[in-house]
């Protein structure tokens, strides 16, 4: 399809296990703005780094390919123009859609759905080098690359062989997934968090073999706390994380025991059976997104309050997995816009006000902080959530690379060097 050499693709959240840990140098000592690239609408979807190209999608239904070193626009594609129907301008502040992005070698896969225009839901396949659309598939699909397979979740799950997109398997039993990339283990087991919707799915996780679609287990998470024993817990809308031999899921929990404060937390499941092996509960506070796992430590951002959406954070913390002991807690000036990420011994997190903070992963001591001249927004800042059907997670905010950080914002993307 293209003569472009294979691009090195940085997986979502650092690796196939979505651990939030990146094999990149990042910016451990200092940061300054290298370039700013503007987009038509707010960027709420996780950006993707593929070789020297940074792929960014905005809520105006446009995909952008920027030069990762300079910010120069290489190409863009606006999906709301594809069928030529309505020539309607996008107004700032409008919410249109999240566009999940996956990349395999020189192919870019984008799931397009929920447009406010006359447009059928579809999967678009682009050439990475030119942006040319080489194929489309009708349907509401969230793409994930797992080795040489393309997983498409939506109305059930499909697996297609790459690069020819020939069908490998299809399952209607696997459904109700969160619109997020599953975590995939080295042995090919995938762990997909489920969304929340009455009479369809009550959260939890599906585990299955990516090569065959055969289910390993499905699990609704419960947590034992308080004098009354089991308390109800729902998995929050964030992807599963593989780390330190367990599958980690953020939860919100509560019960009838007035002596027990409801709150959030994280549970660790056995990757073979789905049985709970660990849990850490926050009394009266909730996680911002999911956790990052590195070197036997859980890193998370949380906020105190009533837990109503949007779920925000006011501090970053580190927890020793083996002992359950808190290692450090760093208060934030603003509310965390998403989960922290880790690269080369440094934890990065950004706030809604646009401040990026770098912390020493071992001690929590600040390395540096930089206030951007823009804010950061998420899905539920732009569009009221449907309380009966929640399938969206907060997109990655800070993307570490070698000698760079990329931060999605309400106005586009900011690159730090």
């Amino acid at each position: 399809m293209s003569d472009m050499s294979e691009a090195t693709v940085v997986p979502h959240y650092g690796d196939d296990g979505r651990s939030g840990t990146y094999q990149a140098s990042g910016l451990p000592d200092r940061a300054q703005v290298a370039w700013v690239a503007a987009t038509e609408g707010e960027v709420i979807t996780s950006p993707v780094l593929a070789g020297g190209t940074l792929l960014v999608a905005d809520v105006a239904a446009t995909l952008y390919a920027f030069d990762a070193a300079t910010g120069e626009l290489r190409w863009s594609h606006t999906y709301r123009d594809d069928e030529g129907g309505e020539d309607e301008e996008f107004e700032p502040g409008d919410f249109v859609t999240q566009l999940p992005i996956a990349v395999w070698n020189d192919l870019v896969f984008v799931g397009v759905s929920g447009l406010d225009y006359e447009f059928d839901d579809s999967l678009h396949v682009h050439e990475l080098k030119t942006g040319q659309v080489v194929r489309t598939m009708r349907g509401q699909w969230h793409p994930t690359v797992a080795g040489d397979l393309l997983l498409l979740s939506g109305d059930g799950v499909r697996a297609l062989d790459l690069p020819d997109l020939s069908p490998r398997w299809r399952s209607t039993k696997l459904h109700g997934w969160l619109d997020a990339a599953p975590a995939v283990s080295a042995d090919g087991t995938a762990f997909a968090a489920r969304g929340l919707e009455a009479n369809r799915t009550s959260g939890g996780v599906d585990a299955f073999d990516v090569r065959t679609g055969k289910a390993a287990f499905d699990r609704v998470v419960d947590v034992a706390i308080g004098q009354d024993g089991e308390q109800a817990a729902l998995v929050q809308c964030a992807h599963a994380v593989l780390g330190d031999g367990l599958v980690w899921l953020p939860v919100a929990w509560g019960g009838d025991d007035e002596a027990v404060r409801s709150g959030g937390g994280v549970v660790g499941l056995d990757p073979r059976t789905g049985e709970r092996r660990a849990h850490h509960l926050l009394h009266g506070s909730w996680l911002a997104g999911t956790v990052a796992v590195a070197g036997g430590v859980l890193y998370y951002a949380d906020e105190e309050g009533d837990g109503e959406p949007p779920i925000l954070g006011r501090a970053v913390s580190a927890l020793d997995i083996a002992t359950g002991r808190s290692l450090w807690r760093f208060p934030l000036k603003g509310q965390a816009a998403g989960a922290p990420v880790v690269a080369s011994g440094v934890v990065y997190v950004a706030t809604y006000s646009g401040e990026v903070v770098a912390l020493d992963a071992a001690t929590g001591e600040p390395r540096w902080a930089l206030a951007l001249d823009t804010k950061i927004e998420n899905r539920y800042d732009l569009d009221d959530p449907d309380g009966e059907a929640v399938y969206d997670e907060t997109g990655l905010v800070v993307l570490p690379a070698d000698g760079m950080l990329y931060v999605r914002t309400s106005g586009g993307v900011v690159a730090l060097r």
Side-chain angles (χ1 to χ4, degrees):
M1 292 184 181
S2 170
D3 60 1
M4 184 178 181
S5 59
E6 296 182 1
T8 300
V9 181
V10 179
H12 286 297
Y13 288 89
D15 52 37
D16 289 338
R18 321 299 172 202
S19 70
T21 300
Y22 288 77
Q23 302 302 313
S25 63
L27 297 173
D29 299 318
R30 63 183 65 86
Q32 60 183 8
V33 175
W35 53 261
V36 177
T39 56
E40 186 178 9
E42 296 90 342
V43 177
I44 60 175
T45 302
S46 301
V48 175
L49 184 62
T53 301
L54 182 71
L55 296 163
V56 176
D58 69 4
V59 299
T62 299
L63 176 68
Y64 303 83
F66 296 110
D67 185 299
T70 67
E72 179 183 358
L73 180 64
R74 291 179 170 174
W75 55 265
S76 65
H77 185 94
T78 301
Y79 298 101
R80 68 179 189 272
D81 293 341
D82 280 353
E83 295 191 356
E86 300 182 19
D87 185 17
E88 188 172 344
E89 292 186 2
F90 177 80
E91 295 293 334
D94 284 354
F95 173 79
V96 180
T97 183
Q98 287 184 274
L99 302 175
I101 305 167
V103 181
W104 183 84
N105 292 349
D106 64 342
L107 298 178
V108 180
F109 305 94
V110 182
V112 182
S113 64
L115 294 180
D116 290 339
Y117 306 91
E118 294 181 359
F119 189 94
D120 292 332
D121 294 343
S122 59
L123 177 82
H124 279 58
V125 186
H126 297 262
E127 286 189 344
L128 176 60
K129 183 178 181 180
T130 65
Q132 178 183 353
V133 177
V134 296
R135 185 167 176 177
T136 60
M137 295 175 59
R138 293 304 183 192
Q140 184 174 345
W141 301 111
H142 188 288
T144 301
V145 170
D148 290 338
L149 283 175
L150 177 67
L151 299 178
L152 299 177
S153 59
D155 184 15
V157 182
R158 295 181 181 183
L160 309 178
D161 284 308
L162 294 167
D164 59 358
L165 300 179
S166 59
R168 171 76 72 89
W169 55 264
R170 182 173 184 175
S171 173
T172 57
K173 295 181 179 179
L174 298 170
H175 63 83
W177 287 4
L178 192 70
D179 287 334
V184 182
S185 67
D187 68 1
T189 302
F191 303 90
R194 297 198 294 258
L196 299 173
E197 183 176 359
N199 301 319
R200 185 161 192 249
T201 174
S202 57
V205 61
D206 286 319
F208 64 97
D209 189 317
V210 296
R211 295 159 299 224
T212 66
K214 182 179 179 181
F217 63 81
D218 62 272
R219 179 70 57 183
V220 175
V221 178
D222 55 20
V223 182
I225 60 170
Q227 296 178 351
D228 290 346
E230 296 293 330
Q231 304 291 325
L234 291 177
V235 174
Q236 290 184 206
C237 288
H239 64 272
V241 171
L242 275 172
D244 206 50
L246 296 177
V247 181
W248 299 94
L249 293 165
V251 296
W253 55 269
D256 296 330
D257 185 353
E258 294 183 358
V260 178
R261 292 185 66 192
S262 61
V266 61
V267 297
L269 307 182
D270 187 306
R272 298 179 300 275
T273 66
E275 296 296 324
R276 179 168 50 84
R277 300 296 181 219
H279 68 265
H280 176 62
L281 303 179
L282 305 174
H283 296 264
S285 64
W286 283 257
L287 294 187
T290 190
V291 297
V293 183
V297 178
L298 288 175
Y299 299 94
Y300 60 89
D302 69 290
E303 66 103 19
E304 294 183 2
D306 58 11
E308 293 297 320
I311 297 172
L312 310 171
R314 291 184 181 145
V316 181
S317 299
L319 177 80
D320 184 276
I321 293 174
T323 65
R325 182 172 60 90
S326 175
L327 300 177
W328 52 261
R329 182 173 176 84
F330 181 84
L332 296 171
K333 294 180 181 178
Q335 299 170 323
V341 294
V342 183
S344 297
V346 177
V347 178
Y348 300 98
V349 69
T351 67
Y352 274 82
S353 62
E355 183 178 48
V356 183
V357 179
L359 306 171
D360 188 287
T363 66
E365 291 296 317
R367 293 287 191 90
W368 54 263
L370 181 66
L372 307 180
D373 190 23
T374 184
K375 62 182 179 179
I376 296 166
E377 293 178 295
N378 285 318
R379 161 71 186 267
Y380 296 135
D381 301 311
L382 307 176
D383 184 57
D384 290 334
D386 181 350
E388 307 224 344
V390 183
Y391 288 94
D392 298 298
E393 82 161 343
T394 297
L396 175 74
V397 180
V398 181
L399 171 58
D402 286 328
M404 300 283 285
L405 293 180
Y406 302 99
V407 185
R408 66 169 178 84
T409 73
S410 60
V413 61
V414 177
L416 307 182
R417 178 181 292 127

